[in-house]
Amino acid sequence: MAGNSFGQLFKIMTFGESHGPAIGVVIDGVPPKLDLTESDIQVELDRRRPGQSKITTQRQEADKVEILSGIFEGKATGAPVALLIRNEDQRSKDYANIKDVFRPGHADFTYLAKYGIRDYRGGGRSSGRETACRVAAGAVAKKILGPHKIKIVVYTLAIGDIYAKKIDYNVIEQNMVRTADAKVAQAMIAKIEEVRKRGDSIGGILQCVIQGVPAGLGDPCFDKLNARLAQALMSIATVKGIEFGEGFGAAHMLGSQHNDPFILKSGKATVKTNHAGGLLGGISTGEDINIRLALKPPSSIAQKQKTLNEDLEIVETQVKGRHDPCLCPRVVPVAEAMIALTLVDCLMIQKSMELWGHAPN
Amino acid sequence: MAGNSFGQLFKIMTFGESHGPAIGVVIDGVPPKLDLTESDIQVELDRRRPGQSKITTQRQEADKVEILSGIFEGKATGAPVALLIRNEDQRSKDYANIKDVFRPGHADFTYLAKYGIRDYRGGGRSSGRETACRVAAGAVAKKILGPHKIKIVVYTLAIGDIYAKKIDYNVIEQNMVRTADAKVAQAMIAKIEEVRKRGDSIGGILQCVIQGVPAGLGDPCFDKLNARLAQALMSIATVKGIEFGEGFGAAHMLGSQHNDPFILKSGKATVKTNHAGGLLGGISTGEDINIRLALKPPSSIAQKQKTLNEDLEIVETQVKGRHDPCLCPRVVPVAEAMIALTLVDCLMIQKSMELWGHAPN
Amino acid sequence: MAGNSFGQLFKIMTFGESHGPAIGVVIDGVPPKLDLTESDIQVELDRRRPGQSKITTQRQEADKVEILSGIFEGKATGAPVALLIRNEDQRSKDYANIKDVFRPGHADFTYLAKYGIRDYRGGGRSSGRETACRVAAGAVAKKILGPHKIKIVVYTLAIGDIYAKKIDYNVIEQNMVRTADAKVAQAMIAKIEEVRKRGDSIGGILQCVIQGVPAGLGDPCFDKLNARLAQALMSIATVKGIEFGEGFGAAHMLGSQHNDPFILKSGKATVKTNHAGGLLGGISTGEDINIRLALKPPSSIAQKQKTLNEDLEIVETQVKGRHDPCLCPRVVPVAEAMIALTLVDCLMIQKSMELWGHAPN
Amino acid sequence: MAGNSFGQLFKIMTFGESHGPAIGVVIDGVPPKLDLTESDIQVELDRRRPGQSKITTQRQEADKVEILSGIFEGKATGAPVALLIRNEDQRSKDYANIKDVFRPGHADFTYLAKYGIRDYRGGGRSSGRETACRVAAGAVAKKILGPHKIKIVVYTLAIGDIYAKKIDYNVIEQNMVRTADAKVAQAMIAKIEEVRKRGDSIGGILQCVIQGVPAGLGDPCFDKLNARLAQALMSIATVKGIEFGEGFGAAHMLGSQHNDPFILKSGKATVKTNHAGGLLGGISTGEDINIRLALKPPSSIAQKQKTLNEDLEIVETQVKGRHDPCLCPRVVPVAEAMIALTLVDCLMIQKSMELWGHAPN
């Protein structure tokens, strides 16, 4: 209830603040006999970690993961898998000057309202640092999805108003903004650098494509697959909007345009178009699930801003420290992780239905 | 897990199909001593029920609610409140011709893939009829919110590309499309009628405004208030997109534009602008929470469509029966209900924190 | 949380008071294609219903069940199954004289303390009437267990200090006290009648034997199968003690006596003795699971008792109405139901583990 | 679901094996502003740790706890509190000879049946070592209960058939068997030593008394306070029986004997006797809650035992290593912890009901 756990059968609980000794996650429900090593997890953490390129924060964290439990001789035993990441670069002094200030766009004010106390060294649980634990747990989820042939692709669709056009999934990890259009990547990077030099930040859009999800995943009513994915992805602090299939475009469409007719393809039923984005009635159709996420510009900017402090005095604040001018490239692995965690949970729930003999498609 | 329950402390479980004997909901966690009568619930059901205007389906259902438990001498006892609505207008014959057809845009295909069996008389749990139970439970939630001075306003912002402009909440219930702009209402209604005459349907956008939410509501990480509201609202079958605050607009903004500076107002801290939409770090700021929902055009259209049947033969189908050409006006009370259910649950979770003496704002 | 739901994947929510219009239960997670009719449920309700013999309460309730949803053409669709039982024999006047009295042994005092209001017509949710809903849901669970060859046997082991000796499961349903020893049954019945004539009531012990549970059921730590069964069975109001295997006898034993050595039997590993009662480390061994339940004497007795009323005045009370002098025979089907509900849930959880290919024993 | 988490609002997840690098627990829902230091937790861990007296295992573990998160400047922030205990004395070689053996009374067989793989270095999650995490989390729960004036007393009532007679809570922590009768303590200790010398082990009974619980705690139906305590306590591996109030004695009583009449005491309603053990209808009465737990003799004994190995060969096994001849003294703090965790959760749930103004007694 207190918000730090996720999942029903494949269940995680995360902990840790950016300026405490460590962050981590406990994963309950990891399949016995799964091959798992620290490097399976480290490779995903490296994709999220700070300091990986000139357009991300220059804060340096190795984010080295240690497996504390649940793995014996390289295999999962069915016991909870606990993952620990020690914090290294705790420059608390960067925060001394904002100790009692309500930074605009940050959760300082709301956390104080909620808890009556706040950890002024950083955002505490509202810091983006907690997403490292999502990525670590997501790496385990991806290992589980492997044999199921489910592939999760996430890339930067837009930085501000610069959009990727010619989509090629192969180039995503080859450019530092993680877009799927190698040409447009340069313009996006230039835009981010220009914004950062002005002490500002910029928003963007991520495109998610989930391939190979079997038809029949998700539950009716409140636990529709899109509803569960919406919670999972909207829980990433920087996400302000989410669309499935045509999304807001559907509001302008007619039923005769939006309906996807069923057709035969290699002897199997499929849909001619995919306006619905791979989901009908909240259950997967077997087609690609298409999702778009709107990311706000990061709140930490180097420009001076007027705001209040805890004594309700007007103060001028300048967020020091080393921050991301744009979050798109670093949120890519976080979004992948949240999707993977949700899918493993839904697959386990679906599997539980087979008790009485019905094997879903 | 099977998807038909919602909430953690204020918890509902819904049941029933459109063509079975009854639908209903059980609500566990209703505050003892709450005054509650059937008319408190009926008034909300009447706002959702079919046949209420010329632009909604002409299916006639009184949707008369019966309280089965939990209320004694007009007051809640703390026991679960069960609400029953008998189905009246079960014209199953309307469905005879689509018995084995995968209607485009409907969940026939995905339910069969999931369960290996389907109730061909209608959409079963994927039918919009289940939302009556949400509205009934939401009416109870609204009664609870009453003394907390939280007000939920939902209205039609757009039908296709016709947008409300001069917003006046007072007119929402005075026009059949439930928009907040009395003038534009006529154009919207004309558009819906035109579309219906062509045997087609149309999408739209709902605007939600939640006023009076105290600062500090919502939980960190996975249970952010926006994440929980996203699941709640995305679980309404027709919703394909959701935005908080600037939403997708934030993707085009700079941090210096999007950050809301804190200012003093009547001796209290507040924000100068509200780009964030009333939430920072997933916790409420005390400002209005602004949400927009994209609604797809209804899948049931009178035009002939080509599709497949269960034998994978190409067939021509025509959805008979009486359907909504646009869902906006009828989803308004459903969205209100989902918001109310979520807020009551979050308020109870927040209250539980006071155990040790801290009263949040 | 409010206490009226049970189960994680196979999930029920019950509602209703003994003196309201109806009681019922919604079951979410019923397997699609399961054959289910009202008579499958009625047969179990008839075993629990009042008035079935001279040693149970003479209150007359047909307890006729109506299936409201989830079944189409005799088969489950995967949608929630709602079951309704209308109350018939609501003699509220029987309660007029105890309206503001704290009946000794009853929950009048604690419900008032908890909720600040109470439904004085009867015990409300603390009434044994709510167990009819458990039995109805349990009947569905039993249908699911059928093909799994799991058999649940519950019988009266003792009434007061009269114990069954020669155990024969075949006679349980042939005597009105539901004991497994046809000879002792007469003495037990005579004892109950004698006690009732004196306006008193008497306690007893139930023995539960669960046969055919596959090895590997249950989860580690907090969700051990015995822990889950303990909650399930201790939630029956009249149960005051529970033992697994040797139970309290184990406290007097040595390790060398209590340890069950593993031996070979028909080429399979099994245990020579079964002191552990079919569970090791909270996980089933494949042997019979043996449980004993201590039932207190019913609190409703015809003798005059001194107690307090809500104004804290000393009053003399006499519980009128028609009550059970001993609950053993009627709790037998309730205990069976709680065991069945728990096992189906555990089987589904276990099945969900097969996602990655390991089929447990 | 996978069994390693406990609690609804005050929620813990534990992890770790006895022979891995570390064990630990994450606690979500710790009240903000709670004063908490490592020594608050260490003092409880020291009461449970091995090697504390001649009648417990001689395995040496400092069980030094490290707080990883959730505490800032000595106070809880509302973020999850993660506690880590590094394992020190991992003598895996002690287990080399039992690597593929199904030790009688242990979970080797059932874990292999469940997971298809087992960590042969020790019991994995079935090892008593996991209870250190319960004690650590329980220490936090006790800190929360402090101002609520709830006191949890647990002591050894019997070792085999030697029972404490003259009960004095003050002596419990002054004798190594943690009984409440200083005189009988010596006989109990002598008994344990005698049993150990013979390479055997012995069972016992714990008595739990919970004082100061306000009337009104617990929920109806499935979440009765006794039902929740039963799961909590039965989840301790060594517990085979549990009684509330008169327990199995109630089975032999008449209603006229067992019913506790309400009387006035200092102007407040209370009960004359407390046969019910502080609970009516599963809700607390305000009187002492009395519970007895039956503990089986530890399964690890030094005597040679015949059993099977994984190849189903008959082998003779002798459990080496250093084990407890009787678990009573070390389970005392574990039982206290489980009670404390349950009560904090119930108090938070009860507090959430105050949303609408009713303050329970």
Side-chain angles (χ1 to χ4, degrees):
Chain A
M1 305 289 144
N4 300 287
S5 49
F6 183 81
Q8 297 173 344
L9 286 174
F10 187 73
K11 203 168 169 176
I12 67 170
M13 192 182 275
T14 64
F15 64 88
E17 295 83 41
S18 46
H19 293 77
I23 60 173
V25 58
V26 189
I27 315 170
D28 206 6
V30 176
K33 300 184 187 170
L34 182 80
D35 294 303
L36 192 74
T37 63
E38 280 159 359
S39 62
D40 288 323
I41 299 158
Q42 195 62 53
V43 66
E44 291 291 334
L45 283 172
D46 289 348
R47 293 176 64 220
R48 193 216 73 104
R49 81 175 169 76
Q52 63 186 275
S53 82
K54 65 180 177 179
I55 58 167
T56 62
T57 169
Q58 294 307 303
R59 184 174 171 178
Q60 291 298 327
E61 286 278 3
D63 278 355
K64 207 176 141 17
V65 71
E66 182 188 8
I67 297 177
L68 292 180
S69 67
I71 306 296
F72 177 55
E73 299 181 341
K75 284 185 190 303
T77 63
V81 173
L83 304 175
L84 191 73
I85 302 167
R86 292 272 169 189
N87 289 324
E88 294 174 350
D89 190 15
Q90 309 168 34
R91 290 206 211 161
S92 299
K93 64 183 175 324
D94 283 350
Y95 293 89
N97 68 322
I98 50 109
K99 186 176 160 157
D100 63 349
V101 168
F102 298 140
R103 290 170 297 164
H106 280 277
D108 306 326
F109 175 76
T110 53
Y111 268 55
L112 186 62
K114 180 172 193 70
Y115 296 114
I117 183 175
R118 76 172 166 114
D119 177 346
Y120 55 75
R121 294 167 305 173
R125 293 301 286 166
S126 78
S127 161
R129 181 137 186 78
E130 60 89 3
T131 60
C133 300
R134 304 184 185 217
V135 169
V140 179
K142 283 181 181 182
K143 273 286 253 190
I144 299 168
L145 290 179
H148 291 269
K149 293 178 187 168
I150 294 174
K151 213 185 145 193
I152 301 164
V153 179
V154 180
Y155 61 86
T156 297
L157 178 67
I159 298 293
D161 54 6
I162 306 174
Y163 278 72
K165 280 158 205 158
K166 267 189 73 178
I167 303 304
D168 176 1
Y169 296 168
N170 295 311
V171 306
I172 299 172
E173 289 298 311
Q174 290 166 12
N175 64 81
M176 66 181 80
V177 75
R178 288 200 170 97
T179 188
D181 182 335
K183 257 193 202 158
V184 173
Q186 299 319 310
M188 288 175 167
I189 293 165
K191 181 71 183 175
I192 294 171
E193 289 204 285
E194 175 218 315
V195 162
R196 189 193 48 186
K197 275 175 196 157
R198 293 207 316 265
D200 215 331
S201 66
I202 191 163
I205 296 174
L206 297 188
Q207 174 76 45
C208 314
V209 185
I210 319 176
Q211 301 175 315
V213 175
L217 215 66
D219 284 286
C221 277
F222 306 109
D223 287 350
K224 290 184 169 80
L225 184 52
N226 41 329
R228 293 203 54 192
L229 285 168
Q231 168 161 18
L233 293 164
M234 195 64 86
S235 79
I236 304 171
T238 193
V239 175
K240 299 298 285 182
I242 182 165
E243 295 184 312
F244 287 84
E246 296 292 337
F248 277 85
H252 294 180
M253 291 171 80
L254 300 174
S256 56
Q257 298 169 318
H258 190 271
N259 280 351
D260 300 310
F262 286 92
I263 56 165
L264 262 186
K265 206 171 157 181
S266 328
K268 286 189 58 180
T270 183
V271 278
K272 197 174 172 182
T273 48
N274 188 13
H275 298 300
L279 293 154
L280 287 173
I283 315 284
S284 60
T285 61
E287 299 304 303
D288 286 1
I289 297 177
N290 295 308
I291 311 169
R292 269 174 309 285
L293 304 176
L295 271 62
K296 70 170 190 177
S299 304
S300 293
I301 55 176
Q303 292 179 17
K304 285 185 184 169
Q305 300 174 87
K306 278 218 174 105
T307 189
L308 296 180
N309 66 14
E310 291 186 24
D311 296 326
L312 302 189
E313 297 160 336
I314 300 167
V315 292
E316 199 175 61
T317 186
Q318 192 175 6
V319 182
K320 286 184 190 166
R322 300 138 296 165
H323 300 284
D324 289 279
C326 178
L327 283 163
C328 288
R330 291 186 65 207
V331 173
V332 162
V334 179
E336 289 171 15
M338 293 312 299
I339 291 169
L341 291 165
T342 305
L343 290 179
V344 168
D345 202 30
C346 289
L347 280 167
M348 289 179 71
I349 291 170
Q350 184 70 0
K351 190 75 189 176
S352 75
M353 276 181 49
E354 290 184 33
L355 181 60
W356 41 86
H358 167 60
N361 285 29
Chain B
M1 304 294 144
N4 300 287
S5 51
F6 184 81
Q8 299 174 345
L9 287 174
F10 188 73
K11 204 168 168 176
I12 67 170
M13 193 182 276
T14 65
F15 63 88
E17 295 83 42
S18 45
H19 293 77
I23 60 173
V25 58
V26 189
I27 315 170
D28 204 7
V30 176
K33 298 184 188 171
L34 182 80
D35 293 304
L36 192 75
T37 64
E38 280 158 358
S39 62
D40 289 322
I41 299 158
Q42 196 62 54
V43 66
E44 292 290 335
L45 282 172
D46 288 348
R47 292 178 63 222
R48 193 216 73 102
R49 81 175 168 77
Q52 63 186 278
S53 82
K54 65 178 176 179
I55 58 166
T56 61
T57 168
Q58 294 307 303
R59 184 176 169 176
Q60 290 298 327
E61 285 279 3
D63 278 353
K64 207 176 140 19
V65 71
E66 181 188 7
I67 297 177
L68 293 179
S69 66
I71 306 296
F72 178 55
E73 299 179 342
K75 284 184 192 301
T77 62
V81 173
L83 305 176
L84 191 74
I85 302 167
R86 291 273 170 190
N87 289 324
E88 295 174 348
D89 190 14
Q90 310 168 33
R91 287 206 212 163
S92 300
K93 63 182 175 325
D94 283 348
Y95 293 89
N97 68 322
I98 50 111
K99 186 176 159 156
D100 63 350
V101 168
F102 298 140
R103 290 170 297 165
H106 279 277
D108 305 327
F109 175 76
T110 54
Y111 268 56
L112 186 61
K114 181 173 192 70
Y115 297 114
I117 184 176
R118 76 176 167 111
D119 178 346
Y120 56 74
R121 295 167 302 174
R125 293 302 284 164
S126 78
S127 160
R129 182 137 184 79
E130 60 89 4
T131 61
C133 300
R134 305 183 184 218
V135 169
V140 180
K142 283 182 180 182
K143 272 288 251 189
I144 299 169
L145 289 179
H148 292 270
K149 292 177 188 168
I150 293 174
K151 213 185 147 193
I152 301 163
V153 180
V154 181
Y155 60 87
T156 298
L157 178 66
I159 297 295
D161 56 5
I162 306 174
Y163 279 71
K165 280 160 204 156
K166 267 189 74 179
I167 303 304
D168 176 2
Y169 297 167
N170 296 312
V171 306
I172 299 171
E173 290 297 313
Q174 292 166 13
N175 63 81
M176 65 182 82
V177 75
R178 287 203 170 95
T179 188
D181 182 335
K183 256 194 201 157
V184 173
Q186 299 320 310
M188 289 176 167
I189 293 165
K191 180 73 184 175
I192 294 171
E193 292 204 284
E194 175 218 315
V195 161
R196 189 192 47 185
K197 276 173 196 158
R198 294 206 314 264
D200 215 331
S201 66
I202 191 163
I205 297 175
L206 297 188
Q207 174 75 45
C208 314
V209 185
I210 320 174
Q211 302 175 314
V213 175
L217 216 65
D219 283 286
C221 276
F222 306 108
D223 286 351
K224 290 184 168 77
L225 184 51
N226 39 331
R228 292 201 57 190
L229 286 167
Q231 167 161 20
L233 293 164
M234 195 64 84
S235 79
I236 304 170
T238 194
V239 175
K240 299 299 283 183
I242 182 164
E243 296 184 312
F244 288 84
E246 296 292 336
F248 277 84
H252 295 180
M253 292 172 80
L254 299 173
S256 56
Q257 296 168 319
H258 189 272
N259 281 350
D260 299 310
F262 287 92
I263 57 165
L264 263 185
K265 205 169 156 183
S266 327
K268 285 189 58 179
T270 183
V271 278
K272 198 173 170 183
T273 49
N274 188 15
H275 298 299
L279 293 153
L280 287 173
I283 316 285
S284 61
T285 62
E287 299 304 304
D288 285 1
I289 297 177
N290 295 309
I291 310 170
R292 268 174 311 285
L293 304 176
L295 271 61
K296 70 170 188 177
S299 304
S300 293
I301 56 175
Q303 292 180 15
K304 285 183 184 170
Q305 301 175 85
K306 278 218 172 104
T307 189
L308 297 180
N309 66 14
E310 291 186 24
D311 296 326
L312 302 188
E313 298 161 334
I314 300 167
V315 292
E316 200 175 63
T317 186
Q318 192 175 7
V319 183
K320 286 184 189 165
R322 301 135 297 164
H323 300 283
D324 290 279
C326 178
L327 284 162
C328 287
R330 291 186 64 207
V331 173
V332 162
V334 179
E336 289 172 17
M338 292 313 298
I339 292 169
L341 290 166
T342 305
L343 290 178
V344 168
D345 202 29
C346 289
L347 281 165
M348 288 179 71
I349 289 170
Q350 183 70 0
K351 190 75 189 176
S352 75
M353 277 181 48
E354 290 184 35
L355 181 61
W356 40 86
H358 167 61
N361 284 29
Chain C
M1 304 292 145
N4 299 287
S5 49
F6 183 80
Q8 298 173 345
L9 286 174
F10 188 72
K11 205 169 169 174
I12 67 170
M13 194 182 273
T14 65
F15 64 88
E17 294 85 40
S18 46
H19 293 76
I23 61 172
V25 58
V26 189
I27 315 170
D28 205 6
V30 177
K33 299 183 187 171
L34 182 80
D35 292 304
L36 192 75
T37 63
E38 279 158 359
S39 62
D40 289 322
I41 299 158
Q42 196 61 54
V43 67
E44 292 291 334
L45 283 171
D46 288 348
R47 293 178 61 221
R48 193 216 74 101
R49 79 176 171 76
Q52 62 185 278
S53 83
K54 65 179 178 180
I55 58 167
T56 60
T57 169
Q58 295 308 302
R59 185 176 169 175
Q60 291 298 327
E61 285 278 3
D63 278 354
K64 208 177 139 19
V65 70
E66 180 188 8
I67 298 177
L68 293 179
S69 66
I71 306 296
F72 176 55
E73 299 179 341
K75 284 185 189 303
T77 62
V81 173
L83 304 176
L84 191 73
I85 301 166
R86 291 273 169 190
N87 290 324
E88 293 174 349
D89 191 13
Q90 311 166 34
R91 288 207 212 162
S92 299
K93 63 181 175 325
D94 282 350
Y95 293 89
N97 68 323
I98 50 111
K99 187 176 158 154
D100 64 349
V101 168
F102 297 139
R103 290 170 297 164
H106 279 278
D108 306 327
F109 176 76
T110 53
Y111 267 57
L112 187 61
K114 181 173 192 70
Y115 297 114
I117 183 174
R118 76 174 168 112
D119 177 346
Y120 56 73
R121 294 166 303 172
R125 293 301 285 163
S126 77
S127 160
R129 182 136 185 78
E130 60 90 3
T131 61
C133 300
R134 304 183 185 219
V135 169
V140 180
K142 284 182 181 181
K143 273 285 251 190
I144 299 169
L145 289 179
H148 292 270
K149 293 177 187 168
I150 293 174
K151 213 185 146 193
I152 301 164
V153 179
V154 180
Y155 61 86
T156 298
L157 178 68
I159 298 295
D161 55 7
I162 306 174
Y163 278 72
K165 278 159 206 158
K166 265 190 72 177
I167 303 303
D168 175 2
Y169 298 167
N170 295 312
V171 307
I172 300 171
E173 290 298 312
Q174 291 166 12
N175 64 81
M176 65 182 81
V177 76
R178 290 204 168 93
T179 188
D181 182 335
K183 258 195 198 154
V184 175
Q186 299 320 310
M188 288 175 168
I189 293 165
K191 180 72 183 173
I192 294 171
E193 290 203 287
E194 175 219 315
V195 161
R196 190 192 48 185
K197 275 174 196 156
R198 294 207 314 266
D200 216 330
S201 65
I202 191 163
I205 297 176
L206 297 188
Q207 175 75 45
C208 315
V209 185
I210 320 175
Q211 302 175 313
V213 175
L217 215 65
D219 283 287
C221 276
F222 306 109
D223 287 351
K224 289 185 169 78
L225 184 52
N226 41 329
R228 293 202 56 192
L229 285 167
Q231 168 161 19
L233 293 164
M234 194 65 85
S235 79
I236 303 170
T238 193
V239 176
K240 299 300 284 184
I242 182 165
E243 295 184 311
F244 287 84
E246 297 291 337
F248 277 85
H252 294 183
M253 292 171 81
L254 299 174
S256 57
Q257 298 169 318
H258 190 272
N259 280 351
D260 300 311
F262 286 92
I263 57 165
L264 263 185
K265 205 169 157 181
S266 329
K268 283 189 61 179
T270 182
V271 279
K272 197 173 170 183
T273 49
N274 189 13
H275 299 299
L279 292 154
L280 288 173
I283 315 283
S284 60
T285 61
E287 299 304 303
D288 285 2
I289 296 176
N290 294 309
I291 312 169
R292 269 174 311 285
L293 304 177
L295 271 61
K296 69 171 191 178
S299 304
S300 292
I301 56 176
Q303 290 179 17
K304 284 183 186 172
Q305 301 174 84
K306 278 218 173 104
T307 190
L308 297 180
N309 65 13
E310 290 186 24
D311 296 326
L312 302 188
E313 299 161 335
I314 299 166
V315 293
E316 200 174 63
T317 185
Q318 192 174 7
V319 182
K320 285 184 190 167
R322 301 136 296 164
H323 299 283
D324 290 279
C326 177
L327 283 163
C328 287
R330 291 185 66 208
V331 172
V332 163
V334 180
E336 290 171 15
M338 292 313 298
I339 292 169
L341 291 166
T342 305
L343 290 178
V344 168
D345 203 28
C346 289
L347 281 167
M348 288 179 71
I349 290 170
Q350 184 69 359
K351 190 75 189 176
S352 75
M353 276 181 49
E354 290 184 34
L355 181 60
W356 40 86
H358 167 62
N361 286 28
Chain D
M1 303 290 148
N4 300 287
S5 50
F6 183 81
Q8 298 174 345
L9 286 173
F10 187 73
K11 202 170 171 174
I12 66 170
M13 193 183 275
T14 64
F15 63 88
E17 294 83 43
S18 46
H19 293 77
I23 59 172
V25 57
V26 188
I27 315 168
D28 205 7
V30 177
K33 296 185 188 171
L34 182 79
D35 293 304
L36 192 74
T37 64
E38 280 159 359
S39 62
D40 288 324
I41 299 159
Q42 195 62 53
V43 66
E44 291 292 335
L45 282 173
D46 288 348
R47 292 178 62 221
R48 193 216 73 101
R49 81 176 168 77
Q52 63 186 278
S53 83
K54 64 178 177 179
I55 57 167
T56 61
T57 169
Q58 295 308 303
R59 183 176 170 177
Q60 291 298 327
E61 285 278 4
D63 278 355
K64 208 177 140 16
V65 71
E66 181 189 8
I67 298 177
L68 292 180
S69 67
I71 306 296
F72 177 54
E73 298 181 343
K75 284 182 191 304
T77 62
V81 173
L83 304 176
L84 191 73
I85 302 167
R86 290 274 170 187
N87 289 325
E88 294 175 349
D89 191 14
Q90 310 168 33
R91 289 207 212 162
S92 299
K93 62 181 175 325
D94 283 350
Y95 292 90
N97 68 323
I98 50 109
K99 188 176 157 156
D100 63 349
V101 168
F102 298 140
R103 290 170 297 164
H106 280 278
D108 306 327
F109 175 76
T110 52
Y111 269 55
L112 186 62
K114 182 174 191 69
Y115 297 114
I117 184 175
R118 76 173 167 114
D119 178 346
Y120 56 74
R121 295 167 303 174
R125 292 303 286 164
S126 78
S127 160
R129 182 135 186 79
E130 61 88 5
T131 61
C133 300
R134 304 183 185 218
V135 169
V140 179
K142 283 182 180 181
K143 272 287 252 190
I144 299 169
L145 290 178
H148 291 269
K149 292 178 188 169
I150 293 174
K151 213 184 145 193
I152 301 163
V153 180
V154 181
Y155 61 86
T156 298
L157 179 66
I159 298 293
D161 56 5
I162 306 174
Y163 278 72
K165 280 159 204 155
K166 267 189 72 177
I167 303 305
D168 177 0
Y169 297 167
N170 296 313
V171 307
I172 299 171
E173 291 296 313
Q174 291 166 13
N175 62 82
M176 65 182 83
V177 76
R178 289 204 169 94
T179 188
D181 182 334
K183 258 194 199 153
V184 173
Q186 299 320 310
M188 288 175 168
I189 293 166
K191 181 72 182 172
I192 294 171
E193 290 204 285
E194 175 218 315
V195 162
R196 190 193 45 185
K197 276 175 197 156
R198 294 207 314 265
D200 215 331
S201 67
I202 191 164
I205 297 175
L206 297 188
Q207 174 75 46
C208 315
V209 186
I210 320 176
Q211 303 175 314
V213 174
L217 216 64
D219 283 286
C221 277
F222 307 108
D223 287 350
K224 290 185 168 78
L225 184 52
N226 39 332
R228 292 202 56 191
L229 285 167
Q231 167 161 19
L233 293 164
M234 195 63 85
S235 79
I236 304 172
T238 194
V239 175
K240 299 299 285 183
I242 182 163
E243 296 184 311
F244 287 85
E246 297 291 337
F248 277 84
H252 295 181
M253 291 173 79
L254 299 174
S256 57
Q257 297 168 319
H258 189 272
N259 279 351
D260 301 309
F262 286 92
I263 56 165
L264 262 186
K265 205 171 159 181
S266 328
K268 284 189 61 178
T270 182
V271 278
K272 198 174 171 181
T273 49
N274 188 14
H275 298 299
L279 292 153
L280 287 173
I283 315 283
S284 60
T285 61
E287 299 305 303
D288 285 1
I289 296 176
N290 295 310
I291 312 169
R292 268 173 311 286
L293 304 177
L295 271 61
K296 69 170 189 179
S299 304
S300 293
I301 57 175
Q303 291 180 16
K304 285 184 185 170
Q305 301 174 84
K306 277 218 175 104
T307 189
L308 296 180
N309 65 13
E310 291 186 23
D311 296 325
L312 301 188
E313 298 161 335
I314 300 167
V315 292
E316 198 175 63
T317 186
Q318 192 175 7
V319 182
K320 286 185 188 165
R322 299 137 297 165
H323 299 284
D324 290 278
C326 178
L327 283 163
C328 287
R330 291 186 66 206
V331 173
V332 162
V334 179
E336 290 171 17
M338 292 313 299
I339 293 169
L341 290 166
T342 306
L343 290 178
V344 168
D345 202 30
C346 289
L347 281 166
M348 288 178 72
I349 291 170
Q350 184 70 0
K351 190 76 191 176
S352 75
M353 277 181 48
E354 290 183 35
L355 181 61
W356 40 85
H358 166 61
N361 285 30

